[in-house]
Amino acid sequence: MKHSTQMFAESDLNNRNRRYEQLFKTLFLLMTLLLIIPVLVILGTLIVKGSGSLSIEFLFTEPTNGMTEGGIFPALLGTVWLVSVALLISVPLGVAAAIYLSEYAPDNWYTRIINLAIINLAGVPSIVHALFGVGAFVIFFGFGTSILAASLTLAIMTLPVVIVSTRESLQAVPHAFREACWNMGATRWQTIRKVVLPNAVSGILTGVILEVSRTTGETAPIMFTGAAFFLPYLPQGIFDQTMALSLHLFVVATQVPNVPESLPYGVALVLIGIVLLMNTLSIAFRMHLRSKKKW
Amino acid sequence: MATTKATEQLDFDRYNQEWYIDKLVQGVVFLAGISAIVFVLGIFIFVTMEGIGFLFKDFSLSQFLLSPWWEPTDDDKPTYGILALIAGTASVTGLAMVVAIPFSLGAAIYIGEFATGKTRETLKVLVELLAAIPSVVWGFIGLSIMNPLIIDLFDVPVGLTVLNAGIILGLMAAPIMTSIAEDALKAVPDRYREAAEALGATRWQVIFKTILPAAKNGLLGAVLLGVGRGFGETMAVLMATGHAINIPDSIFDSVRALTTTIAAELGETAVGSPHYEALFTIGIFLFLITFIINLSADLIVRGIRNQ
Amino acid sequence: MVSQTEKPPKFSVKDLTIRYGTTPALSGVSLEVEENEIFGIIGPANAGKTSFLKVLNRMDTMTEGMSYEGEIEFNGINTRKLRNLYALRSRIGVVFPLPVGLPLSIYDNVAFSPRLRGINEKKRLDQIVEQSLTRAALWDEVKDRLDSLGSLLSGGQQQRLTIARALSQDPDILFLDEFSIAVDPVTTMRIEDVLVELKQEMTIILVTNLVQQARRLTRRTAFFLSGECVEVGETEAMFAGDVKDSRTSDYIEGRFG
């Protein structure tokens, strides 16, 4: 008899605990969903209101009539310019820095300072990067407001993205492979070139795609360094100013009077489409890699 | 035998081509590595260089920090007080954290401790995609979706307010905070969970009594990074706050932030003018604050790793 | 220890102390490894055996915080101040406790070291690859799939691949560090047979936690315990009970470890 009451009491306690657990689980799920659902609703609104202005023509014609009509071609092309030049600078630099940190750097005070600098570089507000770009590239180095100055600013700002993702992919290659190579008399560089990099390159690419996405969306750093509100001509080289998609959204949303509502929605949709496409690509690529185990 | 030894000695003591290539590469990647330091110093130096004239001219630290009057274009007597701007930044960031902390923590716990398999992967991917939305798009959302919504819901004349920017910024910061918080939870060794479960604790007891306390430094780091993010955000805040210099009384007031002041005014100032230099001085201020925030976040997060 | 041959010892170690940071991992070791012998090192975990091998091929420079004191001579050459340690390491083959097939094709795994030495001629490489794999008793199993990844072979096959790679270095001396941990008994026996053959042309240092393996294969054996070299002696004599330290016979007879 005593035995059975004890059993009963225990199962009662268990039931209560299970109810609590279920309650908390539901609560946390709700919070997660509340984080995601508004954003999905917002994205839906963007699509509904913006898709009307989307067309091939929208993508490939110039804005007309004081930017209240026409397309976004100069802004789109400008973003391609800015992102390409920024990547040409930041990818080699970032990959090299990551190789140093992952493969050569001893565990000492200056490596710690480098790591701290990377964290800070990522944490400095984008508008301060813009000020730096103005002070350093526009004025001091005399590049003026140009694609070069803007892309340098973007490159430095997104450098931590490349460094961190590259370092992660390098370190995902097991240390035992390196030791095996060193034991055969390979130098660090031979080991990196023949074993580490070939096995990290897809991971690095994933990070680069992510950087394309980041760079495409940045606005503040290019506002005063190379991107213009409106230009009647297309950029011909890296010393020209250019329009940019992100800044164009800001301009048509806030600076231009009498813009039909669908136009800024269309620009926002294109911008977010590019960014999310890049991110999805990067995620898909990463999952593909994970499924293709090489060791 | 003697000759073998001699050639060996020579081989082992002679730098060959591969040795030189390795050293060369080491030098090059080292330079790339220290470039990060150079850039951070460069940012500080160049921003200071442009702003330093102001510091030595009309600058008064007490006026700069304590005056609520930011009137750089006043013809008679321009004043450069950033108190109202600090209040703007602080109110928006504060509200953003009120929104972001519980939700990102809840999401991190759900994703890290409850969700499994496909659900978990899907949620993680969604959170990652949320983090990717550019700030100018968020600003646009604040301006054209949240603004009319707030006007309708609360029957207020203007929807570009602390509330608007705070929610926007909260939604922006939450995904990043969620992933960092989830990392912090993941860093708690499984043996803690197993030990607590072996003592008969249920899952939520394990989470509240064991995992959250063990992960508290990492979670604090996540919050600090969120604060840093909110502090430094420019475009979204610029578009969603209404851009009025004001020490807010309520969340329905429009404000102006430190970052947005620079973004809105830099284009209209002459290079080298006091106004221009004052904007760079705000830049120095922002740099130093975010530097401190990031440094503390790093120290706190590293603290758990070293434990 | 008096050298029994006229040749200089392969390795001569005097007063060796190894540290990680300031913590000593092994101290006060003096011994000589002679040409064409299989030299055994036995001892329980954390005795310092692996650290000992690491400083012999100067991997201390690639290991954070590792340093050593004392003198090490390889073929009579002091290795402390050598400038090109890569050349030194290329003369020493190493097989690890856990097999490491590089994530390259089986062929490229074995051709890795010859290519480092500048051998790029296809015919010559083919020959080295076949010879090394054959000697490591792996050729028959993989000869039809040399293109597949070495890192995806089974544990026992990867271990033999690692041995083939070490042999492709055409090494002066071969280090085997508890190679049988990840290998089934049959493969272990096959590899042991290979080692006996190899002894004719190279020196072998065999680190093992299996005392009977040391007894089967080695001529002389060192017993390491908790960072100390307890003693070095003729293997057979040791197993016959002729030891200088009672801990050695305790370990050999399985009373601890």
Side-chain angles (χ1 to χ4, degrees):
Chain A
M1 192 62 209
K2 192 185 164 199
H3 185 70
S4 79
T5 47
Q6 203 180 346
M7 290 262 292
F8 183 73
E10 249 174 40
S11 83
D12 197 35
L13 186 69
N14 274 343
N15 273 337
R16 213 178 62 204
N17 278 338
R18 208 170 299 137
R19 271 205 308 279
Y20 269 126
E21 173 146 354
Q22 204 54 48
L23 185 76
F24 276 106
K25 191 177 166 180
T26 318
L27 182 72
F28 291 136
L29 175 63
L30 219 63
M31 287 169 119
T32 313
L33 292 180
L34 272 172
L35 203 67
I36 292 167
I37 287 170
V39 183
L40 294 181
V41 170
I42 288 165
L43 284 182
T45 317
L46 283 185
I47 292 170
V48 169
K49 294 201 175 181
S51 54
S53 52
L54 279 194
S55 64
I56 297 294
E57 205 193 337
F58 184 67
L59 296 179
F60 291 105
T61 56
E62 310 209 338
T64 51
N65 201 4
M67 285 196 273
T68 57
E69 287 168 29
I72 55 168
F73 183 65
L76 209 54
L77 183 75
T79 291
V80 172
W81 266 100
L82 289 167
V83 172
S84 313
V85 177
L87 248 60
L88 279 179
I89 299 159
S90 65
V91 171
L93 193 61
V95 169
I99 289 177
Y100 176 73
L101 288 169
S102 161
E103 308 297 318
Y104 285 95
D107 183 14
N108 60 16
W109 62 271
Y110 62 78
T111 303
R112 279 198 286 280
I113 291 184
I114 292 175
N115 280 316
L116 206 62
I118 292 166
I119 290 166
N120 267 293
L121 210 53
V124 169
S126 56
I127 193 70
V128 176
H129 277 282
L131 293 178
F132 166 60
V134 171
F137 304 126
V138 177
I139 296 173
F140 187 81
F141 291 109
F143 299 147
T145 44
S146 60
I147 290 176
L148 182 60
S151 290
L152 278 165
T153 313
L154 285 172
I156 289 172
M157 183 170 171
T158 52
L159 191 63
V161 180
V162 192
I163 296 180
V164 170
S165 65
T166 304
R167 186 171 52 185
E168 252 169 43
S169 3
L170 292 174
Q171 278 172 356
V173 179
H175 192 71
F177 292 159
R178 295 177 177 82
E179 290 213 359
C181 294
W182 298 339
N183 272 315
M184 285 189 277
T187 63
R188 278 181 196 270
W189 174 238
Q190 285 173 318
T191 305
I192 295 165
R193 187 163 47 92
K194 295 186 176 191
V195 174
V196 181
L197 269 185
N199 285 290
V201 74
S202 344
I204 295 171
L205 208 60
T206 311
V208 170
I209 301 172
L210 216 60
E211 200 210 351
V212 172
S213 145
R214 263 292 295 284
T215 316
T216 304
E218 285 300 341
T219 313
I222 58 174
M223 267 173 115
F224 309 107
T225 50
F229 280 23
F230 178 76
L231 288 174
Y233 54 86
L234 297 175
Q236 305 298 316
I238 55 171
F239 291 102
D240 285 350
Q241 284 192 59
T242 179
M243 293 175 72
L245 198 58
S246 55
L247 185 62
H248 191 62
L249 173 59
F250 174 70
V251 171
V252 292
T254 65
Q255 310 287 309
V256 184
N258 304 324
V259 176
E261 200 196 20
S262 67
L263 181 68
Y265 277 102
V267 180
L269 200 56
V270 174
L271 181 58
I272 208 166
I274 295 174
V275 166
L276 290 186
L277 183 75
M278 286 297 158
N279 275 69
T280 313
L281 214 69
S282 159
I283 291 167
F285 201 45
R286 197 177 60 206
M287 286 182 166
H288 174 68
L289 285 181
R290 221 182 288 158
S291 68
K292 230 179 73 183
K293 279 249 167 261
K294 282 184 88 179
W295 55 78
Chain B
M1 209 55 220
T3 50
T4 320
K5 188 187 155 181
T7 45
E8 267 176 2
Q9 173 92 50
L10 212 60
D11 267 1
F12 297 164
D13 239 356
R14 189 169 45 199
Y15 297 146
N16 58 5
Q17 194 189 347
E18 288 300 336
W19 191 93
Y20 282 110
I21 293 175
D22 183 56
K23 282 292 159 204
L24 182 73
V25 171
Q26 181 171 3
V28 170
V29 297
F30 174 69
L31 288 179
I34 57 171
S35 75
I37 301 177
V38 172
F39 291 143
V40 171
L41 286 179
I43 291 172
F44 185 69
I45 289 167
F46 278 102
V47 176
T48 309
M49 231 165 69
E50 293 296 308
I52 198 139
F54 177 71
L55 290 176
F56 288 111
K57 255 181 273 169
D58 316 321
F59 183 74
S60 133
L61 187 68
S62 62
Q63 190 207 50
F64 186 68
L65 289 178
L66 298 177
S67 162
W69 308 112
W70 176 259
E71 291 172 343
T73 50
D74 190 298
D75 287 339
D76 299 332
K77 191 177 177 299
T79 44
Y80 302 97
I82 61 169
L83 187 65
L85 309 180
I86 294 176
T89 293
S91 58
V92 171
T93 307
L95 183 61
M97 288 305 114
V98 171
V99 174
I101 291 171
F103 284 103
S104 52
L105 195 60
I109 292 174
Y110 186 78
I111 294 172
E113 302 292 326
F114 286 107
T116 49
K118 276 243 150 55
T119 326
R120 186 190 154 99
E121 281 301 307
T122 313
L123 288 174
K124 284 187 79 156
V125 165
L126 276 173
V127 168
E128 199 180 327
L129 287 179
L130 293 190
I133 299 175
S135 65
V136 68
V137 172
W138 280 114
F140 177 67
I141 291 164
L143 189 69
S144 49
I145 298 179
M146 295 282 291
N147 182 27
L149 202 68
I150 289 174
I151 293 175
D152 282 354
L153 276 179
F154 299 101
D155 195 22
V156 286
V158 186
L160 297 176
T161 54
V162 173
L163 179 66
N164 190 335
I167 292 173
I168 290 289
L169 204 53
L171 286 174
M172 277 179 83
I176 300 155
M177 291 167 66
T178 303
S179 4
I180 300 170
E182 200 225 322
D183 282 347
L185 296 178
K186 210 163 42 185
V188 177
D190 274 339
R191 63 192 153 82
Y192 281 43
R193 295 179 180 83
E194 284 153 16
E197 270 161 19
L199 292 174
T202 57
R203 193 103 71 91
W204 62 272
Q205 285 172 324
V206 174
I207 290 169
F208 280 101
K209 303 224 167 95
T210 311
I211 296 174
L212 288 185
K216 67 173 188 299
N217 280 342
L219 299 176
L220 188 60
V223 172
L224 272 179
L225 286 172
V227 171
R229 179 87 204 257
F231 216 85
E233 180 46 49
T234 311
M235 296 316 287
V237 179
L238 177 63
M239 294 164 85
T241 49
H243 210 57
I245 301 173
N246 185 19
I247 295 181
D249 293 328
S250 85
I251 54 171
F252 295 108
D253 283 354
S254 290
V255 290
R256 193 201 266 202
L258 291 161
T259 50
T260 60
T261 304
I262 303 175
E265 295 179 2
L266 188 66
E268 298 157 12
T269 59
V271 173
S273 67
H275 185 187
Y276 172 91
E277 288 174 347
L279 293 176
F280 274 85
T281 308
I282 297 181
I284 303 170
F285 182 72
L286 278 171
F287 178 87
L288 292 177
I289 298 281
T290 44
F291 188 89
I292 292 165
I293 293 175
N294 287 312
L295 197 65
S296 352
D298 182 58
L299 288 176
I300 289 169
V301 173
R302 202 198 303 276
I304 35 169
R305 257 185 240 141
N306 290 348
Q307 255 172 34
Chain C
M1 185 78 37
V2 180
S3 177
Q4 297 184 341
T5 60
E6 292 155 30
K7 292 172 180 177
K10 213 67 203 164
F11 265 111
S12 157
V13 176
K14 286 195 197 76
D15 300 323
L16 176 72
T17 295
I18 302 171
R19 291 176 209 281
Y20 291 96
T22 51
T23 322
L26 186 66
S27 48
V29 179
S30 296
L31 56 83
E32 285 178 352
V33 178
E34 284 151 24
E35 181 114 28
N36 292 21
E37 74 167 330
I38 301 185
F39 184 89
I41 300 177
I42 58 172
N46 289 321
K49 300 169 298 200
T50 301
S51 302
F52 180 70
L53 291 186
K54 270 186 149 181
V55 291
L56 290 190
N57 71 346
R58 294 302 314 277
M59 280 290 282
D60 56 296
T61 60
M62 310 297 259
T63 311
E64 195 73 47
M66 193 179 189
S67 64
Y68 76 95
E69 291 150 29
E71 297 309 320
I72 301 170
E73 286 183 1
F74 174 64
N75 288 344
I77 300 163
N78 188 329
T79 61
R80 179 175 285 286
K81 294 219 163 65
L82 290 179
R83 301 160 115 187
N84 194 343
L85 295 174
Y86 307 113
L88 170 72
R89 289 189 200 112
S90 71
R91 305 292 293 274
I92 301 171
V94 182
V95 177
F96 312 93
L98 296 174
V100 180
L102 294 173
L104 305 168
S105 72
I106 293 171
Y107 186 95
D108 289 341
N109 259 279
V110 186
F112 192 95
S113 164
R115 283 178 177 144
L116 288 182
R117 297 201 303 275
I119 299 171
N120 286 310
E121 191 198 338
K122 179 88 171 75
K123 251 176 94 181
R124 181 98 180 80
L125 283 176
D126 287 349
Q127 189 192 345
I128 294 175
V129 169
E130 177 170 353
Q131 192 189 12
S132 306
L133 284 170
T134 307
R135 297 178 76 182
L138 188 60
W139 174 252
D140 289 335
E141 284 164 61
V142 300
K143 64 175 182 236
D144 299 323
R145 49 185 179 119
L146 291 173
D147 291 338
S148 51
L149 279 177
S151 45
L152 293 181
L153 290 172
S154 75
Q157 288 174 326
Q158 280 196 48
Q159 194 57 295
R160 280 174 285 157
L161 180 65
T162 313
I163 293 173
R165 224 169 43 207
L167 294 177
S168 77
Q169 287 175 246
D170 189 18
D172 244 27
I173 182 163
L174 186 63
F175 295 171
L176 293 125
D177 189 356
E178 302 191 347
F179 73 89
S180 45
I181 279 186
V183 180
D184 61 278
V186 178
T187 312
T188 301
M189 296 311 290
R190 286 175 73 180
I191 296 174
E192 285 186 9
D193 292 343
V194 173
L195 296 183
V196 173
E197 268 176 48
L198 287 174
K199 185 173 67 169
Q200 312 304 321
E201 14 179 326
M202 64 185 74
T203 311
I204 296 171
I205 300 183
L206 175 73
V207 167
T208 178
N209 54 349
L210 307 171
V211 285
Q212 292 308 322
Q213 188 174 58
R215 184 178 197 175
R216 283 196 294 274
L217 295 172
T218 66
R219 190 169 66 85
R220 292 183 310 132
T221 299
F223 172 50
F224 283 19
L225 178 65
S226 311
E228 179 194 350
C229 176
V230 175
E231 68 177 275
V232 184
E234 302 284 331
T235 308
E236 262 322 306
M238 257 191 200
F239 276 85
D242 179 13
V243 294
K244 293 169 205 113
D245 193 305
S246 63
R247 287 174 297 175
T248 311
S249 48
D250 286 352
Y251 180 74
I252 289 175
E253 286 158 30
R255 258 168 273 172
F256 73 95

